[in-house]
Amino acid sequence: MRARSLFLLPKRSTTPSRRVLTHQSLPSSIKNFTYAVRGVLLDRAEDLERQLASGKHDLPFDHIVYCNIGNPQQLGQKGLTWIAQVLSLLVNPAMLDHPKVSEIYPADTIERAKHYLKACTSTGSYSESKGVAAVREEVAAFIRARDGFADDASYCDPANIYLSNGASPAIQACLSLIIRSEADGIMISIPQYPLYSATIPCQGGTAVPYYLDEASGWGLNVAELRRSVAEARGKGVNPRAIVVINPGNPTGSCLSEKNIEEIIQFAKDEGLVILADEVYQVNIYTEKKPFVSFKKVLTKMGEAYKDVELLSFHSTSKGVIGECGKRGGYVEMTNILPEVHQQYLKLATLNLCPNLIGQLTMGLLVNPPKVGDPSYEVYAKEHDQILQSMKRRSELVTSTLNKVEGVSCLPAEGSMYAFPNITLPPKAVEEAKKQGKPADTLYCLDLLSETGLCVVPGSGFGQVDGTWHFRTTILPQEEELKEVLSKFEKFHLKFLEKYN
């Protein structure tokens, strides 16, 4: 007798097929949000990239310059030797047993690799959900030293540090703890980084915009914050938190210590959690406004402010190292109740742990070689060269754009971007309306199609009605950047001529 097959094919359904997942059936919270830095411009850029790769095209350029997102190494920035050497030992620990390892690697890179492997066993293993304890201790020490409390262990407890896959997932997790319904508002600056305008409605909350003042260098005015809160409450929305990006994205503006004090006072008066997005804290190009953390200012304001809740974020993607693909980040929680920590940790456990390479890269960021260490001279030279080049590129972009008819650009005090204001002819605005898109989107799509330069329209970040902007990174290497700016100027004048 033949044995019955253990693998029986399912019977064919006699009823018509019915798809569960259609565009119509998807949640509106997913369909309705947009993420401008990877939106229609990037889609078009990738389409053009495929045409270039095919060799069958008549495009007037031979490559795409991706200035739509802060991705330094994509645009030619070299990674730091210090990070590359330690990570190479961590992913290939057999090299530590090589008889000539000390001839290939500096002693401090070998020592650091062994320290991390002792702390996490392997880069292929899970860590605790908060992140590797040894790295969280390094982050805490970094924060203490940065803020002038190097010898005060109580200033930053590693227990208040949660490592993450870049800053974005930590921000999203924190927002999920704050937002309960559409009646809960999150105050965000206009212009703002689209992560916030996308995440807030996706999680069921309401974005509450407050406008930065372009005429005063993208200044943040407390009177505008009060106006924004009053307007939201008048609509039945209760603001629960305020997001502040310092240095600013996309504006490049830096907050003074006095301005931070005013924001903290406002948050205390209105009962708001502060989300301090400080991922560009190393990218400062002006001596007039050195970076000062919200945590430092909050601490200096004294015991009366112990009830002001602060969530501070940092990342390996920005600064000087630009290790975007490693996906390393953290959130530090200040004045947050233990039961809230527990709920955040519960969220973190859903992902088991942040990726180990990202965690360890964060450790290498916050605890680099010190004076006298074998790797210090190379590290310091590379670090300074990159930072000084960024400053030169920032100044070059601003000065060049300000010479172009119909373009004005405030100096970028920090971050990796310029956010120029562009005056568009009425005919261009009308044509964009016919096409069902903002005028600056039409402009940026034309710029991409004619030059290969991919930037992001200001409408993706928010802007005062009737004004038009775009955001570009300053990240192409210096010689290519000059070429990029030359192409931009020629395009812009041609665009004005076309629609005038």
Side-chain angles (χ1 to χ4, degrees):
M1 184 176 178
R2 288 180 75 180
R4 294 184 62 192
S5 172
L6 295 177
F7 303 99
L8 300 177
L9 292 172
K11 293 181 179 179
R12 290 181 179 273
S13 173
T14 57
T15 59
S17 64
R18 179 177 63 83
R19 293 190 180 276
V20 174
L21 294 177
T22 66
H23 186 269
Q24 185 177 4
S25 72
L26 294 175
S28 58
S29 60
I30 300 295
K31 292 186 291 185
N32 292 342
F33 86 79
T34 58
Y35 186 50
V37 297
R38 286 185 178 266
V40 62
L41 266 296
L42 182 62
D43 291 343
R44 177 62 176 149
E46 291 175 342
D47 178 53
L48 293 171
E49 192 85 75
R50 285 188 287 271
Q51 292 182 46
L52 290 169
S54 73
K56 301 175 182 178
H57 66 85
D58 57 358
L59 298 172
F61 48 85
D62 58 11
H63 69 289
I64 305 295
V65 182
Y66 288 97
C67 290
N68 60 301
I69 196 165
N71 194 7
Q73 295 191 29
Q74 182 188 39
L75 291 171
Q77 180 175 306
K78 297 284 193 277
L80 297 184
T81 301
W82 157 251
I83 291 175
Q85 287 181 329
V86 178
L87 291 181
S88 70
L89 289 169
L90 289 168
V91 298
N92 184 20
M95 275 299 297
L96 291 168
D97 297 322
H98 192 284
K100 295 188 176 181
V101 65
S102 60
E103 297 177 26
I104 303 171
Y105 291 91
D108 53 346
T109 64
I110 297 170
E111 181 182 350
R112 183 66 66 87
K114 289 180 177 178
H115 171 69
Y116 285 155
L117 289 171
K118 183 178 180 180
C120 68
T121 308
S122 165
T123 58
S125 64
Y126 289 132
S127 72
E128 58 181 291
S129 296
K130 292 180 75 168
V132 175
V135 175
R136 288 188 289 109
E137 289 168 2
E138 288 179 310
V139 171
F142 159 77
I143 292 170
R144 292 194 292 266
R146 179 197 68 191
D147 291 351
F149 294 87
D151 298 324
D152 183 358
S154 67
Y155 181 75
C156 183
D157 186 341
N160 295 331
I161 305 293
Y162 296 81
L163 302 180
S164 55
N165 290 316
S168 295
I171 291 167
Q172 292 166 321
C174 288
L175 287 172
S176 72
L177 295 178
I178 299 169
I179 296 170
R180 301 164 300 183
S181 72
E182 286 187 352
D184 290 333
I186 308 295
M187 298 183 69
I188 60 172
S189 64
I190 299 297
Q192 52 82 44
Y193 180 50
L195 169 70
Y196 297 99
S197 58
T199 300
I200 292 164
C202 193
Q203 294 189 348
T206 299
V208 176
Y210 63 90
Y211 286 82
L212 303 179
D213 182 15
E214 187 169 8
S216 63
W218 297 113
L220 196 163
N221 189 293
V222 174
E224 167 60 14
L225 297 181
R226 294 196 184 99
R227 181 208 62 77
S228 175
V229 166
E231 183 179 279
R233 288 175 179 157
K235 296 177 180 178
V237 175
N238 178 43
R240 301 193 77 207
I242 180 170
V243 175
V244 185
I245 308 174
N246 183 44
N249 177 8
T251 64
S253 59
C254 296
L255 294 174
S256 67
E257 185 168 342
K258 183 178 184 298
N259 214 178
I260 294 173
E261 286 179 3
E262 293 171 340
I263 296 165
I264 293 171
Q265 184 65 58
F266 170 78
K268 180 176 175 61
D269 294 343
E270 300 294 342
L272 302 173
V273 180
I274 300 172
L275 283 76
D277 184 334
E278 298 175 333
V279 302
Y280 298 100
Q281 59 188 263
V282 174
N283 301 103
I284 304 290
Y285 312 127
T286 174
E287 295 179 0
K288 295 179 180 178
K289 291 183 181 178
F291 174 76
V292 183
S293 73
F294 267 79
K295 180 183 176 70
K296 180 177 181 177
V297 178
L298 177 59
T299 301
K300 288 173 66 176
M301 291 175 76
E303 290 293 322
Y305 294 83
K306 285 288 188 182
D307 60 346
V308 177
E309 297 150 292
L310 172 64
L311 301 165
S312 305
F313 305 93
H314 198 13
S315 169
T316 64
S317 300
K318 310 305 177 187
V320 165
I321 71 171
E323 294 285 357
C324 303
K326 301 293 194 302
R327 308 309 300 135
Y330 72 74
V331 56
E332 181 196 9
M333 298 189 175
T334 303
N335 299 335
I336 302 296
L337 293 172
E339 55 262 38
V340 179
H341 276 265
Q342 292 171 3
Q343 296 304 311
Y344 184 93
L345 181 58
K346 185 168 69 174
L347 283 174
T349 62
L350 292 177
N351 293 315
L352 295 177
C353 73
N355 82 87
L356 263 292
I357 293 296
Q359 292 188 53
L360 300 173
T361 302
M362 177 55 75
L364 296 169
L365 165 67
V366 299
N367 187 17
K370 306 296 190 295
V371 176
D373 290 344
S375 297
Y376 177 76
E377 286 191 14
V378 171
Y379 169 82
K381 180 181 178 181
E382 292 176 347
H383 187 282
D384 185 62
Q385 284 178 340
I386 293 171
L387 187 58
Q388 291 306 311
S389 175
M390 284 184 172
K391 182 177 180 180
R392 289 193 299 271
R393 282 177 278 170
S394 176
E395 293 170 349
L396 175 64
V397 169
T398 301
S399 63
T400 303
L401 291 176
N402 280 323
K403 294 174 184 175
V404 179
E405 178 188 351
V407 179
S408 63
C409 186
L410 291 169
E413 299 171 326
S415 78
M416 296 178 170
Y417 313 101
F419 195 61
N421 184 311
I422 49 175
T423 301
L424 298 180
K427 287 183 180 179
V429 177
E430 189 59 36
E431 176 60 28
K433 284 182 180 178
K434 291 178 184 177
Q435 296 184 25
K437 57 178 65 105
D440 51 9
T441 299
L442 171 71
Y443 179 90
C444 292
L445 283 169
D446 282 5
L447 174 65
L448 173 61
S449 296
E450 295 191 26
T451 68
L453 176 59
C454 184
V455 299
V456 187
S459 50
F461 300 89
Q463 55 197 349
V464 172
D465 287 345
T467 67
W468 308 107
H469 302 78
F470 67 86
R471 188 194 77 169
T472 179
T473 71
I474 60 167
L475 296 174
Q477 297 305 293
E478 292 184 61
E479 285 308 309
E480 182 175 29
L481 184 58
K482 294 174 184 176
E483 182 181 339
V484 164
L485 291 168
S486 175
K487 286 183 177 181
F488 166 78
E489 181 175 5
K490 291 174 183 176
F491 161 80
H492 180 78
L493 296 177
K494 182 179 176 183
F495 186 91
L496 294 184
E497 182 180 354
K498 175 181 179 181
Y499 286 104
N500 275 329

